[in-house]
Amino acid sequence: MISWVRDRFQALPPVLRVRIRRLWLSAGPILQCSVAAGLAWWFALDILGHAQPFFAPIAAVISLGLSLGRRWRRAVELVGGVTIGILVGDLLITQIGSGAWQIVVVVALAMAVAVFLDDGPLIPMQAASSAVLVATLLPPGGIGGFHRAIDALTGGLIGILVGALLPANPTARARRDAAGVLAIVRDAATELATGLREQDEDLVYAALLKGRGTQAAINTMRSDMRGGREIGTISPLYWGSRMRLQKISATADPIDNGVRNFRVVARRALAITQRGEEVRPELIEIIADLSGAFEILREMMLADPGQSPDAADAARVLRTVARKARPELVADRGLSETALLAELRSLLVDLLMVAGLRRSSALATLR
């Protein structure tokens, strides 16, 4: 059955496959947001007795969002922004009345206070919108603004509670994101080696473009790793996974640095190719081997605990590649190949760190 579904999925047009995959990956957060919105409305309306508590479900959805990261931060920014906007709006509108120029003053002052107190992007927007409500719809001095602040607090807390009790798997998204980044660079390394072997400038440039196009995926990976650690902290269901989440999060910097170093390697290779120079086969072989190194790291990220390949398997493959990247390869060569080898060695250090080695141990491997 699973293979039949996979075959039908692969038969779909690429654009549709991308959209379906995006929807599938967002199914968990969508479920969380919808449940939290309904619970927040029910609690504010039936338990607290607030009439039309529209901001409770809004706050619940904003505090959760589709991203796993910084949910506590979003909830705090939301409540803080609403409170600032209501206080500033209530105090000013009571003194200066309502109108167009009063809205200008209230919004400017509420946003200024929010920016002064915190650098979060959500606080100024919520402060401004709350101040506008006080200046236009909510009577100053009334309880409407107070109820709005309580609704914001209620929605934010319910959102966090739903995220804790109905959590997305905190390791799955982070591992999948990291594997996706490594897969892109794996393919780029294969393309780069082929381009250098054939002295094909277009292939080398295409490999560089692939490396450059990974930044959005890296940012998503970092966000989901932070979100995974946050879920591991607040959700009792995943308290036992906190150590594993820390290990997964520890790969973020070396993966990012490794991709950046690959871009440097690709840029240097492009410059060599454009000058019509040849790269010695041993260096090209190292770049080709990097494709296999990225692949085993990708498989390592996706493997469950106790499955292969693990970090030790990946480290063995990388040590084999590192032994080939010896300085003697460029002892009688020009500056271009010397610099290329130096960048490859730096990249190998990053990849060894992805496999769990400390930086000092990774550097010792290259020595």
Side-chain angles (χ1 to χ4, degrees):
M1 181 64 180
I2 295 177
S3 60
W4 181 86
V5 172
R6 187 185 300 114
D7 292 341
R8 300 287 78 74
F9 178 76
Q10 293 298 327
L12 295 173
V15 173
L16 187 57
R17 289 204 305 269
V18 169
R19 294 174 186 271
I20 292 175
R21 178 173 175 79
R22 185 170 64 227
L23 178 61
W24 171 255
L25 295 179
S26 300
I30 289 173
L31 175 63
Q32 290 178 333
C33 288
S34 57
V35 171
L39 285 176
W41 174 269
W42 167 79
F43 190 89
L45 182 67
D46 294 344
I47 304 300
L48 300 181
H50 294 176
Q52 297 297 314
F54 63 91
F55 202 70
I58 292 175
V61 172
I62 292 176
S63 65
L64 285 171
L66 293 180
S67 171
L68 297 183
R70 300 172 66 86
R71 288 180 165 180
W72 274 112
R73 174 73 176 180
R74 286 201 297 267
V76 170
E77 287 183 5
L78 187 71
V79 176
V82 169
T83 304
I84 291 170
I86 289 172
L87 289 176
V88 172
D90 204 33
L91 289 174
L92 281 182
I93 296 302
T94 302
Q95 301 299 320
I96 65 177
S98 299
W101 70 267
Q102 288 92 338
I103 292 177
V104 173
V105 173
V106 167
V107 170
L109 187 58
M111 294 185 74
V113 171
V115 170
F116 177 78
L117 293 177
D118 193 89
D119 63 350
L122 190 58
I123 288 185
M125 297 300 101
Q126 292 304 322
S129 61
S130 298
V132 168
L133 278 177
V134 172
T136 56
L137 298 178
L138 301 178
I143 63 171
F146 176 72
H147 280 179
R148 176 174 159 85
I150 295 299
D151 290 343
L153 177 61
T154 300
L157 291 177
I158 288 178
I160 296 300
L161 182 63
V162 169
L165 298 180
L166 296 174
N169 188 323
T171 63
R173 286 182 66 163
R175 291 160 57 202
R176 185 181 61 243
D177 293 341
V181 172
L182 293 167
I184 293 172
V185 191
R186 172 204 62 197
D187 296 340
T190 299
E191 205 162 20
L192 180 60
T194 302
L196 285 173
R197 195 175 291 118
E198 299 176 1
Q199 290 188 286
D200 188 328
E201 182 180 331
D202 291 336
L203 275 179
V204 175
Y205 183 63
L208 175 58
L209 288 182
K210 282 185 178 178
R212 286 175 173 171
T214 57
Q215 195 56 52
I218 290 173
N219 294 341
T220 300
M221 175 193 74
R222 284 186 173 276
S223 176
D224 284 344
M225 285 181 177
R226 286 193 300 266
R229 293 188 66 177
E230 187 176 291
I231 291 173
T233 299
I234 66 176
S235 176
L237 300 177
Y238 288 103
W239 283 347
S241 301
R242 282 180 287 189
M243 184 63 69
R244 187 170 181 225
L245 287 167
Q246 290 177 0
K247 291 181 179 179
I248 293 173
S249 297
T251 65
D253 284 341
I255 288 176
D256 193 351
N257 294 336
V259 175
R260 292 175 190 273
N261 271 324
F262 177 81
R263 294 173 194 156
V264 175
V265 168
R267 283 200 304 270
R268 198 169 295 281
L270 179 62
I272 293 173
T273 306
Q274 288 173 335
R275 291 195 296 268
E277 301 175 8
E278 291 187 6
V279 176
R280 66 184 307 163
E282 291 85 353
L283 287 178
I284 298 176
E285 181 183 351
I286 293 172
I287 295 174
D289 289 343
L290 282 176
S291 179
F294 281 114
E295 171 59 19
I296 196 167
L297 288 173
R298 186 193 70 84
E299 294 174 358
M300 178 197 77
M301 295 301 302
L302 293 176
D304 292 326
Q307 291 185 343
S308 295
D310 57 13
D313 297 326
R316 279 193 293 271
V317 171
L318 286 162
R319 287 192 181 100
T320 300
V321 181
R323 281 193 290 270
K324 296 180 180 181
R326 57 192 186 278
E328 300 81 52
L329 280 179
V330 293
D332 58 343
R333 309 292 288 190
L335 180 61
S336 296
E337 288 189 327
T338 301
L340 181 62
L341 178 62
E343 296 296 343
L344 287 171
R345 287 167 63 89
S346 180
L347 172 55
L348 284 165
V349 169
D350 295 324
L351 298 187
L352 285 164
M353 292 176 67
V354 175
L357 274 69
R358 295 181 180 273
R359 183 170 182 81
S360 57
S361 300
L363 288 170
T365 301
L366 267 298
R367 294 194 195 104

